Amino acid sequence: MEGLYHQTNKQVHEVQSYMGRLETSDKESVHLVENEIQARIDKVFSNLERLEILSSKEPPNKRQNAKLRVDQLKYDVQHLQTALRNFQHRRYIREQQERQREELLARTFTTNGTQKKILDVANTLGLSNTVMRLIEKRAFQDKYLMIGGMIVTCVIMFLIVQYLT
């Protein structure tokens, strides 16, 4: 019982050191370290099951202390398992955010797609191509009319400010 307990306790400390290494590992090796940690945690759990059986076979005066030590190890390993899951979840969220950011950066925002959709809808409604060209020409002219109106308004505001001061 004592030998297995010390061996399991040593494995728990090794897993803790691997957890520290997990934070500093690069993207390529993080999966290998995670798999190594999970394998070690599984081995510790199997040792804990054997320790529980052995602790129940201890003499009555040592049984409570043995069960307490096994329960403490079990508690530590469960916390390590939870920490590993939290790390994996944070890594998954981070990778998902990176993918979304890359998708947004790769996406091109143009009005040509919107214009084509409007033309398709207009054709569906029965407007002819000539009417659509007239509408496009009018929109182009309206843009220049708006810019001209803004310039004239700015000039008038400037002249009013000059006159009043």
Side-chain angles (χ1 to χ4, degrees):
M1 161 97 186
E2 285 298 315
L4 185 60
Y5 173 79
H6 289 296
Q7 178 187 1
T8 306
N9 196 18
K10 182 180 174 188
Q11 289 174 343
V12 168
H13 288 296
E14 288 174 358
V15 169
Q16 288 173 341
S17 70
Y18 269 95
M19 290 295 287
R21 211 180 308 167
L22 186 65
E23 294 290 334
T24 60
S25 60
D26 57 348
K27 286 183 178 183
E28 290 79 28
S29 65
V30 73
H31 295 292
L32 297 173
V33 176
E34 283 178 0
N35 291 339
E36 179 69 25
I37 290 173
Q38 189 60 51
R40 288 178 184 259
I41 287 175
D42 292 341
K43 184 168 175 131
V44 168
F45 272 126
S46 68
N47 284 351
L48 285 173
E49 289 174 4
R50 288 182 14 219
L51 278 171
E52 281 184 329
I53 293 169
L54 291 174
S55 68
S56 65
K57 293 180 180 179
E58 285 286 313
N61 57 348
K62 293 183 178 179
R63 188 176 300 154
Q64 185 177 5
N65 188 27
K67 284 191 177 197
L68 185 65
R69 289 168 56 187
V70 170
D71 287 342
Q72 181 63 39
L73 273 179
K74 204 185 258 189
Y75 180 77
D76 291 344
V77 173
Q78 286 172 346
H79 276 284
L80 288 172
Q81 181 78 35
T82 305
L84 178 63
R85 283 191 193 126
N86 286 339
F87 179 82
Q88 289 171 333
H89 180 70
R90 284 193 318 265
R91 182 179 50 81
Y92 172 75
I93 295 294
R94 192 171 40 247
E95 288 174 356
Q96 188 177 18
Q97 288 172 345
E98 287 175 12
R99 278 194 306 273
Q100 289 173 348
R101 184 173 51 245
E102 290 301 320
E103 287 174 8
L104 284 175
L105 291 175
R107 187 180 294 170
T108 57
F109 295 100
T110 60
T111 59
N112 293 342
T114 308
Q115 190 173 9
K116 286 180 183 178
K117 286 180 185 175
I118 291 173
L119 288 174
D120 290 342
V121 169
N123 283 332
T124 305
L125 292 175
L127 296 175
S128 68
N129 285 336
T130 357
V131 173
M132 291 307 300
R133 281 193 213 107
L134 286 174
I135 291 172
E136 287 176 15
K137 186 178 178 185
R138 176 67 190 261
F140 185 74
Q141 292 170 348
D142 287 348
K143 182 170 70 171
Y144 283 116
L145 185 64
M146 179 191 68
I147 291 171
M150 290 184 340
I151 291 173
V152 168
T153 303
C154 289
V155 168
I156 291 173
M157 288 171 41
F158 176 75
L159 291 175
I160 289 174
V161 168
Q162 288 294 327
Y163 178 74
L164 292 177
T165 57

